Amino acid sequence: MSWAAVPWDRVGSVSSAALRRADAEAASTFGIEPLQLMEVAGWQVALFVGAFMGGIHGKRVSVVAGSGNNGGDALVAARFLLQRGAIVNASIVPSRDAHSLASRHALTIRRLGIPIANAPQGIDASADVLIDGLFGTGIRLPLRDPAPGIIAAMNATGRPIVAIDVPSGMDADTGAGADAAVRAAATVTLVAPKAGLAGASNAGRVFVADIGMPLALFGAEREMLAGLYGLGDLVELVP
């Protein structure tokens, strides 16, 4: 499948701090809660994985999910992929908060019958594709255990990895940490381009996904984002 494509030098980027502010303002100004955005993000990732793999029915998908919202996105994607006939398992970092969004989605997929193990156990080296939902834009380097071991286990499979937002272990704004981060075949970055992904060898093909964040929350970047979204739900950024 082909996607609309735009050169990196024709788009700007949005910082992690600006995106955190947009998340907060989406709730306070428009009543759009993180759970709503997470559902759309997971749906976008699932649709992309199916298209990227040339169909997903009967294929093995190993989802690696952290305890934050990036992990929640991955677990939503797991649910949609299961419904499309994929053979799905999840390797998770359990949240300490039983009421967190990631915990709620982990409960859902467990009740749907998706096998769950504590990461790095459960990372399936025989999977057709892995989904990296370990960390998003909020990481602080250097990473602490058990994160380096989980990332190493993902990379050691040699299987194609689709990263959500950024390859786990890499700073979204600067690209720092890329050498020790997940080596993705593709990255589905949510809402807007991130500067650290431009030219990052471990990000693979980079796609921007519209998840319904209101454009009114963005100032100088509003016109750029409107142009990207106008091209399609997913737009590839190319050299």
Side-chain angles (χ1 to χ4, degrees), residues 38 66-69 71-72 75 93 95 99-107:
M38 192 173 286
S67 59
N69 284 356
L75 297 174
V93 178
S95 174
H99 301 290
S100 72
L101 294 180
S103 292
R104 290 166 64 183
H105 287 301
L107 176 63

Side-chain angles (χ1 to χ4, degrees), residues 82-95:
L82 179 72
Q83 293 195 162
R84 276 146 189 79
I87 303 164
V88 185
N89 82 294
S91 176
I92 71 170
V93 178
S95 174

